[in-house]
């Protein structure tokens, strides 16, 4: 069986581990292939991740060079960016082109923003739950880039992410962070679906589904489909 190594990048060790587990759970050995996800967190905590996202481009590039160069040397050419706010804070599409030219290898990245650029043509009004407002902005910008006539009702709240990192139960997080009220607000604004704009948030998916009839969109599913399609 052919083993394909995939670097999973996310903001902290917690959501990086979630990304690794996501790929393991969906892993397919069709056509004799097996995906081996490798953990590559960008920061050690939510606060450090947020500081990184607001750092200048040279600092971000230096961090990414360290991660990408080591992974490429280890035989990795596919990078799964399992973090919405991270994908909104760094231009991974351009970076992948640059790395491909530098290394002579076909470096591929899969990000939530790539999904949103296609998603924008499917809905006219969507709610977005994000980790912070930089991420919410990036998601809205990607949705608008589809060229569709779309309206976004967005909210960024790092307290939800911190509660998940602390291991609180989904029902407790929903109550403390007012998620039922947030979903009702999005419904009242005419949202047709709600984007889980943070890769921590599938942890809450079952609880959120009990609070709204709106479809809950997890971009990681489509990222995985793109990854499998590319490595076949």
């Amino acid at each position: 069986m052919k083993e394909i190594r995939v670097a999973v990048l996310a903001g902290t060790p917690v959501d990086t581990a979630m990304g690794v587990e996501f790929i393991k759970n969906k892993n397919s050995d069709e056509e004799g292939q097996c995906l081996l996800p490798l953990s590559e967190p960008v920061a050690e905590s939510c606060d450090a991740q947020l500081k990184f996202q607001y750092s200048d481009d040279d600092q971000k590039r230096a961090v990414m060079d360290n991660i990408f160069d080591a992974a490429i040397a280890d035989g990795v050419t596919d990078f799964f960016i399992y973090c919405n706010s991270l994908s909104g804070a760094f231009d991974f599409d351009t970076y992948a082109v640059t790395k491909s030219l530098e290394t002579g290898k076909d470096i591929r990245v899969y990000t939530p923003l790539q999904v949103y650029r296609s998603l924008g043509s499917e809905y006219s009004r969507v709610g977005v739950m994000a980790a912070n407002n930089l991420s919410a902005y990036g998601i809205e910008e990607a949705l608008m880039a589809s060229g569709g006539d779309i309206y976004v009702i967005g909210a960024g709240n790092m307290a939800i992410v911190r509660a998940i990192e602390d291991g609180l139960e989904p029902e407790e997080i929903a109550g403390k962070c007012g998620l039922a009220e947030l979903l009702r607000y999005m419904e009242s604004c005419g949202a047709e679906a709600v984007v889980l704009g943070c890769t921590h948030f599938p942890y809450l998916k079952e609880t959120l589904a009990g609070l709204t009839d709106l479809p809950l969109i997890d971009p990681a599913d489509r990222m995985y489909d793109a990854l499998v399609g590319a490595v076949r």
Side-chain angles (χ1 to χ4, degrees), residues 43 45-55 132 134 158 162:
S45 68
C46 289
D47 290 337
Q49 175 196 8
L50 190 61
K51 183 178 180 180
F52 166 82
Q53 289 171 10
Y54 282 98
S55 63
N132 55 54
L134 176 63
M158 185 60 75
R162 290 195 176 101

Side-chain angles (χ1 to χ4, degrees), residues 31-188:
E31 301 181 8
Q33 294 177 343
C34 178
L35 300 178
L36 176 63
L38 307 174
S39 177
E40 297 287 356
V42 170
E44 290 301 319
S45 68
C46 289
D47 290 337
Q49 175 196 8
L50 190 61
K51 183 178 180 180
F52 166 82
Q53 289 171 10
Y54 282 98
S55 63
D56 63 42
D57 289 342
D58 288 342
Q59 290 175 301
K60 292 176 187 174
R61 172 67 188 248
V63 171
M64 290 304 162
D65 279 343
N66 286 335
I67 293 173
F68 271 71
D69 290 348
I72 292 169
D74 200 26
V76 174
T77 57
D78 293 275
F79 294 80
F80 198 80
I81 314 303
Y82 195 76
C83 183
N84 283 261
S85 53
L86 180 61
S87 69
F90 188 75
D91 185 357
F92 283 99
D93 293 326
T94 300
Y95 186 73
V97 173
T98 301
K99 278 297 173 187
S100 295
L101 293 172
E102 286 179 0
T103 62
K105 299 178 180 179
D106 183 15
I107 305 302
R108 298 181 293 260
V109 295
Y110 312 88
T111 77
L113 292 191
Q114 293 166 349
V115 173
Y116 300 139
R117 293 185 191 114
S118 62
L119 191 65
S121 62
E122 299 178 24
Y123 297 95
S124 61
R125 189 166 295 195
V126 297
V128 171
M129 290 177 54
N132 55 54
N133 288 303
L134 176 63
S135 178
Y137 166 76
I139 294 170
E140 181 172 21
E141 188 175 49
L143 287 166
M144 298 293 287
S146 68
D149 184 15
I150 188 167
Y151 181 86
V152 177
I153 306 106
N157 187 349
M158 185 60 75
I160 304 172
V161 177
R162 290 195 176 101
I164 293 172
E165 294 251 339
D166 289 341
L168 273 64
E169 292 298 320
E171 294 79 7
E172 183 179 0
I173 296 171
K176 286 187 173 182
C177 295
L179 299 186
E181 292 80 3
L182 174 61
L183 291 169
R184 283 199 296 271
Y185 168 71
M186 290 179 174
E187 291 170 348
S188 70

Side-chain angles (χ1 to χ4, degrees), residues 24 26 223 227:
K24 285 181 177 179
K26 291 180 72 74
M223 289 166 55
L227 167 62

